[in-house]
Amino acid sequence: IHNPSITAYYPAAGRANGVSVLIFPGGGHRELVFDAEGRDAAQFLNQYGITAYVLKYRLAREPNSPYKVGVEGKEDAQRALRMIRANADKWGLDKDKVGVMGFSAGGEVVHWVSYEDGNVVMNKVDEIDTQNAKPNFQICIYPGPFGVPDKIPADAPPAFVLTANDDSCCSAPALKLLQGYREAGVPIEAHFYSKGGHGFNMGYRSDMNTLSKWPARLGDWLVDAGLGLPS
């Protein structure tokens, strides 16, 4: 990927509620699990009236990649967030209800945009870059460790975090987020499943009852937070 892009997924006619979510699929910064951690997540969010965008971001660990972890992928995410806000009126969106969602390495992209000043621009291109790039809320599904700050700032976006306790890669970052959010007094909902390992996506292919139904927990959170319509 050298030319980042966003793919839009829309709620059914008459159901859009103005909330939007920018989704970062995982893949270890080597590839993008676009369908299972992008398209499927977007279509789930559509059921709750949310307009979803899946970002194809530049990958630092792809063979022979000229990019660096935490640099170009972060720039792509910030640019996409600014583009959504810059077009909010035209696209029928509330620029104050723009969230992000990431799986695994995509969760690291969530971290990179959630805890810094959203008005700082790495490489200003045009007027779109005058928009704020900090999300209003975040959803982290078995997020990776990069970008989790040692201290969560008081203005961090409210979070939903979900992982499996036996995930040797990414249960610790989720726990660090939970502890940090509690210390900062920022709202967070966290779910730790006893089993499931890593990369269970939206749970659709899991034979475990808990994992196959985990998206419903996210749906409940979205409705309770005033971000999603009842399905």
Side-chain angles (χ1 to χ4, degrees):
I1 298 171
H2 298 292
N3 298 300
S5 64
I6 55 174
T7 302
Y9 293 82
Y10 302 102
R15 191 160 174 78
N17 65 352
V19 178
S20 59
V21 172
L22 178 64
I23 302 170
F24 313 127
H29 304 293
R30 295 180 183 85
E31 61 181 333
L32 289 183
V33 186
F34 189 90
D35 289 346
E37 295 181 351
R39 177 203 61 196
D40 290 355
Q43 291 174 344
F44 171 80
L45 293 171
N46 290 162
Q47 299 174 46
Y48 289 84
I50 296 171
T51 302
Y53 302 90
V54 183
L55 176 66
K56 291 183 179 179
Y57 55 93
R58 287 171 288 180
L59 302 171
R61 291 178 177 157
E62 195 173 12
N64 302 313
S65 172
Y67 309 122
K68 296 180 180 179
V69 173
V71 180
E72 288 82 7
K74 177 181 177 180
E75 288 182 348
D76 299 342
Q78 291 178 323
R79 175 70 177 183
L81 283 165
R82 292 183 170 117
M83 184 174 294
I84 291 170
R85 286 203 169 103
N87 290 280
D89 291 342
K90 182 169 62 176
W91 294 349
L93 305 174
D94 185 338
K95 67 192 307 181
D96 295 321
K97 291 185 177 180
V98 181
V100 289
M101 179 178 188
F103 296 76
S104 191
E108 295 175 332
V109 182
V110 169
H111 305 329
W112 294 335
V113 299
S114 293
Y115 305 115
E116 297 184 8
D117 185 346
N119 291 309
V120 175
V121 182
M122 291 184 180
N123 297 298
K124 186 174 181 179
V125 176
D126 51 32
E127 288 303 305
I128 288 175
D129 286 326
T130 63
Q131 298 289 328
N132 193 292
K134 189 169 186 174
N136 299 107
F137 61 93
Q138 62 164 298
I139 301 163
C140 289
I141 310 302
Y142 44 84
F146 291 141
V148 180
D150 291 331
K151 183 177 181 179
I152 297 294
D155 64 347
F160 177 94
V161 181
L162 185 144
T163 191
N165 192 54
D166 65 351
D167 184 346
S168 60
C169 159
C170 300
S171 59
L175 181 59
K176 184 177 180 180
L177 281 172
L178 174 59
Q179 293 172 329
Y181 265 75
R182 293 183 67 184
E183 291 172 1
V186 182
I188 185 171
E189 178 165 326
H191 296 262
F192 287 78
Y193 291 101
S194 62
K195 295 181 180 180
H198 188 72
F200 47 80
N201 313 133
M202 293 296 290
Y204 298 155
R205 295 182 297 277
S206 177
D207 58 2
M208 295 182 63
N209 194 52
T210 50
L211 291 187
S212 66
K213 295 180 178 179
W214 82 253
R217 307 289 72 76
L218 172 58
D220 293 340
W221 180 79
L222 290 167
V223 173
D224 289 346
L227 299 168
L229 300 173
S231 62

